Amino acid sequence: MSANPLKGEVAFPANPDVAGFEAGGILVLDFNALCALEEELGEKIDEIGAQALRSPTMMRTVFRIGLEARHGTVESADAGRLIQAIGMDQAALLALRAFELSFPEAANKGTADPLKTAAKTRGTGPAALKSGARSGSRPQRSGRKPRASTPQS
């Protein structure tokens, strides 16, 4: 199977012992998967990342949810068999890589601030006026129509 790292996908090798993964698989920790992890484990995603590498139960949950984006519903036992076949260390590296691809701004040792690095669009900040017009600019006429004269009384 071919994975697209730009979409946060991480491929792992074929596993003939687990049905549906004979040709390999793809682990994806996209936004929906991260939300599902927080809901199921009852913890924030930054706490899950570190613990998942040490806890077999959390690792299996991360794998199961990460597989569902590309493979549909996956049973916990199948996720566990995949981890067993791949090896806990290799599975941890795959999960870590998927987490890194989910947070590309944090992959730089956690120093990036996504709010500061987001592209600024002209006229969209706290200093922008409600109308979007630049301060000090005069309104411009549209078209070449002459202005109407005011009636004299």
Side-chain angles (χ1 to χ4, degrees), residues 21-73:
F21 296 96
E22 296 86 357
I26 301 211
L27 188 67
V28 182
L29 293 177
D30 60 4
F31 189 79
N32 287 324
L34 298 176
C35 291
L37 282 170
E38 282 189 347
E39 287 174 356
E40 186 157 328
L41 297 173
E43 296 188 38
K44 297 292 181 197
I45 201 65
D46 57 341
E47 298 166 4
I48 294 170
Q51 293 179 24
L53 302 178
R54 294 186 298 261
S55 166
T57 304
M58 289 183 101
M59 173 68 77
R60 184 175 70 177
T61 302
V62 168
F63 248 73
R64 181 180 54 77
I65 290 174
L67 291 169
E68 289 179 349
R70 289 289 301 265
H71 300 281
T73 303

